[in-house]
């Protein structure tokens, strides 16, 4: 699964630490998601989408090989 989390974070003026604190995870988790090394749970994906006021599909998306 790919994402544009880093782009959305920049648009909303969040640091990795700010986003992590807002959704209750570590900064390292945000970093891993941005590098596509960690696939978030459904609940975590929904929390991020709600925070950014966007549909989940605008932040996270499947590649053909996923």
């Amino acid at each position: 699964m790919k994402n544009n989390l880093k782009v959305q974070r920049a648009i909303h003026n969040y640091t990795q630490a700010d986003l992590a604190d807002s959704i209750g995870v570590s900064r390292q988790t945000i970093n891993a998601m941005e590098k596509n090394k960690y696939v978030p749970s459904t609940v975590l994906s929904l929390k991020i989408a709600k925070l950014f006021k966007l549909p989940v599909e605008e932040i996270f998306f499947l590649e053909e090989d996923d």
Side-chain angles (χ1 to χ4, degrees), residues 22 30 32 37:
S22 296
I30 301 301
K37 293 183 178 181

Side-chain angles (χ1 to χ4, degrees), residues 9 14-30:
R9 217 174 28 77
Y14 277 88
T15 65
Q16 286 183 343
D18 293 336
L19 178 56
D21 289 343
S22 296
I23 59 172
V25 298
S26 70
R27 186 200 58 77
Q28 289 84 354
T29 299
I30 301 301

Side-chain angles (χ1 to χ4, degrees), residues 5-57:
L5 190 55
K6 189 173 185 176
V7 171
Q8 291 303 323
R9 217 174 28 77
I11 290 169
H12 292 87
N13 215 18
Y14 277 88
T15 65
Q16 286 183 343
D18 293 336
L19 178 56
D21 289 343
S22 296
I23 59 172
V25 298
S26 70
R27 186 200 58 77
Q28 289 84 354
T29 299
I30 301 301
N31 187 46
M33 280 191 283
E34 289 182 358
K35 292 182 176 184
N36 296 312
K37 293 183 178 181
Y38 175 75
V39 176
S41 68
T42 303
V43 172
L44 185 53
S45 299
L46 290 169
K47 283 182 180 181
I48 293 168
K50 183 177 180 181
L51 180 68
F52 291 149
K53 297 179 180 156
L54 292 170
V56 173
E57 297 85 6

